[in-house]
Amino acid sequence: MSTFNPALRPDRDVSRHRYIHVIGAAVFVDDRPGDPQWGAHFLGMLGDEACWGVDVPAGDDPSCGAALDLYSYFGRASELEWLVAGRAVQLVEWARTHRFCGRCGTPTEAQEHERAMKCPACGLLAFPRLAPAMITLVTRGERGPDQEALLARGVQFRAPMYSCLAGFVEPGESLEEAVVREVREEVGVEIATPSYWGSQPWPFPHSLMIGFTAEWVSGDIVCDPTEIVDARWFRRDDMPPIPPRISIARKLIDTWLLES
C-alpha cells in the first residue's frame, strides 16, 4: 500500500512522476508535465512517484475537457490519491494568489528551504493558507438504540441532505470554544464535553476540518436561517440522507451508527 510523504523536493534518482494539472479548480492527472512554462510545485512522494501540482494558465487545457473537480474525482481514485490532488489544488491556488507582497506590492519569491513566498523588499513571508474549522456530532440521551443525533441541512448544501454542524474557528478562540459557540449560534442548543475525534484536510478551498463529538445539555432547536434550513434529532433507525463518504461528517455519523 502506497504512502504519501510531503516534502519540498523529490528524492534522488526518481524515475516516476505524477503531474496533477490544476485547471481552474479542476484536476487532470498525467505522467507528462505539460508546457515547461507552466509553474510546477512539488507536492511530495506518493510511494515511489514524485507528485507535482501544475498551474495551468487560464485558456489552456491539456485534458481536452476531461479535467474533474475534486468532488467528481473522489471515487475515481483512491482516498490517498484524492488527498494528494487536493494538496495540489490548494498549493497552486496559494501560489496564484501570493505572487505579490500583501504589504508593499513587490513580486514575491518562492523559498527553497520552506514552503513560503517571501517579499525581497520588506521580508514579509506568506505561507500556504489554512482555515481551521470545527465539525461536531451532537448526541442526546444514553448510549443505545434510543440515543439521537442532531443533524442539519445547511443553506449552502449542494444536495438535500443532513450533516453535522460545522463552522470556522475565530481568532483568539480555542477549538472547544468554537464548537460550543457554533452549535449555539446555528441551532440554539447548549452542549457539554466536546471531545476531539479526528481531522481531515478539506480543499474547498483550504480548510482543515477538526472533528468533535459533544453531548446535548439543554435547549430546543432554533435554527439560524442564514446558516441552517432545517435541523432535527434523528434515531439510528430513522436516518435522513447523509453526506457521501468523501467527508469527515460521514465518518463521524458512520461511527455513531455502529456504536449502538
Side-chain angles (χ1 to χ4, degrees):
M1 180 177 180
S2 295
T3 59
F4 180 67
N5 177 30
L8 289 172
R9 58 191 61 82
D11 295 341
R12 294 181 180 179
D13 303 322
V14 175
S15 60
R16 300 181 61 194
H17 295 264
R18 175 185 300 234
Y19 296 94
I20 302 170
H21 296 82
V22 181
I23 306 164
V27 296
F28 170 67
V29 182
D30 199 3
D31 60 0
R32 296 167 295 180
D35 192 317
Q37 295 185 356
W38 297 345
H41 306 269
F42 183 64
L43 308 174
M45 297 296 300
L46 180 60
D48 61 355
E49 282 188 314
C51 297
W52 304 83
V54 181
D55 184 359
V56 179
D60 290 325
D61 185 0
S63 75
C64 299
L68 298 171
D69 63 54
L70 289 173
Y71 284 105
S72 301
Y73 188 58
F74 185 81
R76 306 191 186 197
S78 70
E79 186 167 353
L80 185 56
E81 290 171 325
W82 182 81
L83 290 171
V84 176
R87 178 176 171 84
V89 171
Q90 291 180 85
L91 289 179
V92 166
E93 182 61 19
W94 162 68
R96 287 173 179 169
T97 56
H98 288 81
R99 293 182 297 127
F100 299 93
C101 176
R103 177 187 289 158
C104 69
T106 301
T108 56
E109 299 174 348
Q111 298 302 286
E112 182 179 353
H113 300 295
E114 60 183 342
R115 188 82 65 183
M117 306 292 282
K118 185 176 182 179
C119 175
C122 71
L124 181 68
L125 284 169
F127 296 92
R129 183 178 177 186
L130 194 63
M134 51 66 57
I135 182 165
T136 184
L137 181 68
V138 179
T139 57
R140 182 172 69 175
E142 296 295 327
R143 180 173 174 175
D146 293 328
Q147 189 181 50
E148 299 171 304
L150 178 55
L151 303 177
R153 280 187 60 193
V155 296
Q156 301 294 334
F157 282 7
R158 298 174 56 164
M161 65 181 182
Y162 286 75
S163 185
C164 304
L165 298 169
F168 289 103
V169 180
E170 296 286 347
E173 186 176 50
S174 72
L175 297 175
E176 292 80 5
E177 288 169 340
V179 171
V180 173
R181 176 185 55 78
E182 283 288 346
V183 172
R184 180 188 299 126
E185 290 178 353
E186 293 191 348
V187 295
V189 304
E190 299 296 329
I191 60 172
T193 62
S195 298
Y196 174 75
W197 186 87
S199 63
Q200 178 190 33
W202 191 243
F204 302 107
H206 42 66
S207 299
L208 175 65
M209 302 302 295
I210 305 160
F212 286 84
T213 59
E215 300 174 3
W216 172 86
V217 172
S218 64
D220 296 323
I221 295 173
V222 179
C223 296
D224 174 0
T226 66
E227 298 282 347
I228 304 296
V229 174
D230 184 37
R232 306 180 195 177
W233 293 102
F234 293 95
R235 288 165 48 113
R236 292 179 175 87
D237 58 359
D238 187 29
M239 293 293 291
I242 56 178
R245 299 184 188 281
I246 188 175
S247 68
I248 190 174
R250 176 60 178 267
K251 294 179 174 66
L252 276 162
I253 295 169
D254 283 348
T255 299
W256 175 73
L257 288 172
L258 294 173
E259 286 178 351
S260 60

